Amino acid sequence: MAKYESHRSNYRSGHQRHDRHETPQIDVEVGQRFPLTIKRMGINGEGIGYYKRMAVFVPGALTNEEAVVEVTTVAHRFLRGKIHRLRKVSPYRVEPRDSYADQVGGFELEHLAYPQQLQFKRDIVRQSLERYQPRGFKDYDVRPTLGMADPYAYRNKAQFQVRKTADGTVQAGLYAERSHDLVDLPTCSVQMPVTMTVMRALVTMLQDLEVPIYDEEHNSGIVKTLVVRAAANTNDVQVVFITNSQKLPHKHQLLLRIADELPQVTSVMQNVNPGKTSLIWGDQTLHLAGADAITEKLGGLAFKLSARAFLQLNPAQTEVLYDQARKALDLQPGQTVVDAYSGIGTIGLSLANTAKEVRGMDVIPEAVADANANAEANGITNAHYEVGTAEDVMSQWAVAGFRPDAIVVDPPRTGLDETLMDTILAVHPEKLVYISCNPSTLAKDLVTLTEDYRVDYIQSVDMMPQTARCEAVVKLSQR
Ligand code: SAH
C-alpha cells in the first residue's frame, strides 16, 4: 500500500512466493499436524518455530506460544502452517477487534497487545540489520518505537475492491491473503470512521442503482475499486470510482445520491483502468463532482492532494514522523536540501522556512504539480519540484554542479536505486536522512551508504498499528 500499497492489488510479500513446488528437505506433507513452539516473529508478523530444523511460518501465532500446527504449504526450505490448537497461550494475546483479522492483510498483529506490537517493530529493525550487517550495525542506537495513544481509527484512506456475489450482493473489501477471494469488510477498526461510513453508503448505492460491477474472470462490468480518502484536519473527503472503462452507468443518479446522502464528501473522481491488470490505478483521472482534490493540513501548512498522489496513511503519526525527520536533519539556516521521493512536497515544504533552497522530485506528475502548487499556496518561493525518478533527477542536478547540504530520502518499499546511492555518495551531503517503510531494504541500502556515512540512530515510528508494517527515520552523517 503508493508506498504502503505500491498501487498493486494485494499485500503479499516475503518468502512465501519462492520455491513453493520444490521438494522439501524433510519428509512432511500438507495436512500433517505436529506440536510447535514459537521462537520469534518474522517480518510479516507471523510466528516462527522449527520442525526438524525447518522453519515453520505460522500466521497468528505469538512468541513463546505452543501450538499444534497444521501444515498448509511445503516448500524446499520452509513450511507454512496454521494454528490447529493452542496449548500454551501468550500473556500478550488479545482478542482482535476485527472478526476477519486473520483472513486479510493489514491486521497481522491485531491479536498482540499494543506495547508488544511496538517492541516487535523495533525487533524487526534489529533482525533486518542482523541479516544484512551494514558497517558497525552492532553499535547502532535503535530507539524504542514511537506509538499512538489510541492505535485504532487512524487510517485516512480505504481502497477496497468491489465485486458482485452470485446472489447479486455488492461487496467491498480486501482480498484474502494469497488469493483473489474478496472478504467483504462492513467495518474496519483501523479506518477513520468517516471512510467506512462513506464506503458502505457507496456500496448500497451501487447495489440499488444496479451499476455494473467488474467481473475479473470475464473482464466485464465497470466498477473495480472504491477509494475513499479523508483529510483529518480539514474534514475534506474524496471518493474515487476506479473503473474498467470511461463509461460509468447511472453516473447522474449516483452523483445525485452522493450529494444528497453524503454531504461530508467534497470531491468525486473517476479513475479509468481498463482490462485485467495487477495495478489498481489507471493513468486517466476524470473529475465528476465537487472539488478536484482535497486539502490536508500538516504542521501548519495546507496541502492539496490529487487522487493519485501519495499521502501518509496515518495523519496523527505523520506529524510525529516529520518531526523526527526534521530533528534528524537538523537543518541550519541557509542550507540547501533535497526532498527525494517527495509526494506532494510535505517534507520539503515544512523545511522551507529554514532552508535556503528546497528541491524535490517524484515520478507521479500529479503529485509534483500538487507539490509546486502547495509551495505557492503556502507562500513558499524557495522550493521547486520536478517530475522524474530520484536516480535520474539527482544525477542531472549533480552533473549541473548542484551540491546540497542535506538530503532526505523517503522511498517506496523497494528502497533506493543503486544509481541514486552512487550519486548521493558522490555528492556527499553533510547530512543524510533516510525515511524507510521497509526495514529489509533499509538494512540492505545501509550496507552501501555506510561506506561513507555513519548511522547516528534509528528511530522507528508506528504509522500502521495492528499491522506488521514498520517505518523508521535514520540519521546519517559523514564519517
Ligand atoms: N515523502 C512523501 C512521499 C513518500 S512515498 C510523503 O511523506 O508523503 C514515496 C513516493 O515515491 C511516492 O510519492 C512515489 O510516487 C514516489 N516514487 C516511487 N518511485 C520513485 C522513484 N524512482 N523516484 C522518485 N519518486 C518515486
Side-chain angles (χ1 to χ4, degrees):
M1 286 180 314
K3 149 163 183 170
Y4 294 108
E5 288 158 89
S6 76
H7 290 258
R8 287 191 183 268
S9 58
N10 56 46
Y11 293 63
R12 290 169 249 180
S13 66
H15 42 77
Q16 300 92 336
R17 230 172 308 162
H18 305 302
D19 56 17
R20 181 173 292 183
H21 302 293
E22 291 172 31
T23 18
Q25 287 168 332
I26 56 166
D27 197 16
V28 61
E29 288 175 3
V30 169
Q32 193 172 327
R33 287 179 189 162
F34 46 74
L36 190 77
T37 301
I38 304 301
K39 297 291 186 196
R40 61 185 178 93
M41 288 170 75
I43 48 166
N44 298 319
E46 58 309 57
I48 301 178
Y50 294 87
Y51 177 69
K52 297 183 179 168
R53 293 161 74 193
M54 273 264 266
V56 190
F57 297 96
V58 188
L62 299 174
T63 305
N64 293 328
E65 287 191 328
E66 290 172 18
V68 177
V69 162
E70 181 176 319
V71 176
T72 54
T73 306
V74 175
H76 183 54
R77 284 195 307 207
F78 66 88
L79 306 173
R80 285 186 69 82
K82 63 180 182 197
I83 300 173
H84 171 64
R85 189 161 56 85
L86 279 180
R87 288 175 158 179
K88 186 180 151 207
V89 177
S90 165
Y92 305 120
R93 179 174 283 278
V94 296
E95 192 58 38
R97 290 195 187 180
D98 299 283
S99 55
Y100 34 71
D102 58 348
Q103 296 171 44
V104 295
F107 304 90
E108 298 82 7
L109 299 182
E110 215 184 12
H111 57 295
L112 178 61
Y114 192 56
Q116 280 66 39
Q117 290 187 23
L118 297 177
Q119 283 180 14
F120 162 83
K121 296 194 180 188
R122 186 191 193 183
D123 276 357
I124 288 303
V125 173
R126 290 209 184 102
Q127 273 191 41
S128 307
L129 294 171
E130 285 282 344
R131 183 156 165 231
Y132 289 98
Q133 314 217 330
R135 188 168 161 190
F137 76 99
K138 288 205 171 111
D139 300 323
Y140 291 177
D141 175 10
V142 181
R143 299 185 173 173
T145 306
L146 299 172
M148 297 183 80
D150 177 15
Y152 293 96
Y154 61 82
R155 231 182 119 105
N156 58 11
K157 178 173 160 186
Q159 181 168 288
F160 287 178
Q161 300 307 122
V162 190
R163 71 146 183 217
K164 197 169 218 164
T165 60
D167 72 1
T169 312
V170 178
Q171 298 186 331
L174 300 171
Y175 289 131
E177 288 198 275
R178 272 168 285 282
S179 86
H180 267 208
D181 300 334
L182 195 84
V183 178
D184 189 40
L185 300 186
T187 60
C188 183
S189 70
V190 296
Q191 287 291 152
M192 277 171 60
V194 65
T195 63
M196 290 307 289
T197 308
V198 171
M199 179 66 74
R200 294 321 286 187
L202 293 172
V203 168
T204 305
M205 291 174 198
L206 293 175
Q207 173 97 49
D208 292 351
L209 296 169
E210 295 184 12
V211 178
I213 303 302
Y214 183 65
D215 175 342
E216 202 176 29
E217 201 179 329
H218 302 101
N219 189 26
S220 62
I222 303 293
V223 178
K224 290 177 151 180
T225 308
L226 286 175
V227 184
V228 181
R229 181 149 66 170
N233 301 315
T234 64
N235 295 328
D236 281 357
V237 177
Q238 182 174 66
V239 167
V240 185
F241 295 93
I242 302 184
T243 56
N244 189 29
S245 76
Q246 285 202 5
K247 247 186 352 213
L248 178 56
H250 309 291
K251 180 162 70 187
H252 187 63
Q253 289 104 307
L254 202 50
L255 293 175
L256 281 177
R257 278 192 63 171
I258 292 173
D260 194 38
E261 296 168 35
L262 294 172
Q264 60 275 65
V265 172
T266 54
S267 165
V268 186
M269 310 293 286
Q270 179 182 353
N271 176 268
V272 187
N273 187 21
K276 275 193 191 183
T277 155
S278 66
L279 298 177
I280 292 192
W281 290 82
D283 291 334
Q284 191 186 19
T285 305
L286 309 170
H287 176 210
L288 299 186
D292 65 355
I294 56 176
T295 298
E296 179 62 296
K297 283 192 178 145
L298 292 169
L301 298 175
F303 293 97
K304 173 178 177 243
L305 181 60
S306 291
R308 278 185 60 202
F310 174 85
L311 185 67
Q312 302 285 350
L313 291 166
N314 183 333
Q317 289 295 86
T318 301
E319 309 253 12
V320 175
L321 182 75
Y322 289 174
D323 279 348
Q324 288 300 326
R326 258 194 307 275
K327 189 174 130 201
L329 207 55
D330 187 28
L331 203 68
Q332 300 302 311
Q335 292 192 315
T336 50
V337 59
V338 170
D339 172 11
Y341 307 88
S342 53
I344 58 169
T346 41
I347 296 175
L349 295 179
S350 66
L351 299 165
N353 61 351
T354 310
K356 179 168 134 218
E357 183 189 0
V358 177
R359 293 192 191 185
M361 84 301 279
D362 198 285
V363 283
I364 307 265
E366 292 100 311
V368 172
D370 287 351
N372 285 319
N374 287 330
E376 196 177 334
N378 289 289
I380 295 168
T381 53
N382 59 341
H384 176 71
Y385 288 87
E386 283 183 27
V387 182
T389 64
E391 45 278 20
D392 288 352
V393 175
M394 268 302 295
S395 59
Q396 284 159 21
W397 288 343
V399 168
F402 179 60
R403 295 276 176 276
D405 300 297
I407 299 181
V408 48
V409 293
D410 185 14
R413 290 182 59 76
T414 44
L416 302 179
D417 182 274
E418 289 292 333
T419 339
L420 176 65
M421 287 194 283
D422 290 345
T423 310
I424 291 174
L425 294 179
V427 167
H428 209 55
E430 177 193 331
K431 295 164 178 176
L432 178 59
V433 170
Y434 190 144
I435 306 178
S436 162
C437 59
N438 183 349
S440 297
T441 53
L442 169 65
K444 182 164 167 280
D445 292 347
L446 286 179
V447 173
T448 304
L449 294 174
T450 52
E451 286 168 18
D452 272 0
Y453 286 84
R454 66 161 198 272
V455 171
D456 294 327
Y457 63 79
I458 302 182
Q459 174 65 66
S460 46
V461 177
D462 190 16
M463 299 296 285
M464 305 274 279
Q466 319 307 333
T467 78
R469 295 301 169 95
C470 177
E471 191 96 9
V473 175
V474 187
K475 178 174 165 68
L476 297 126
S477 40
Q478 284 178 0
R479 278 192 187 280

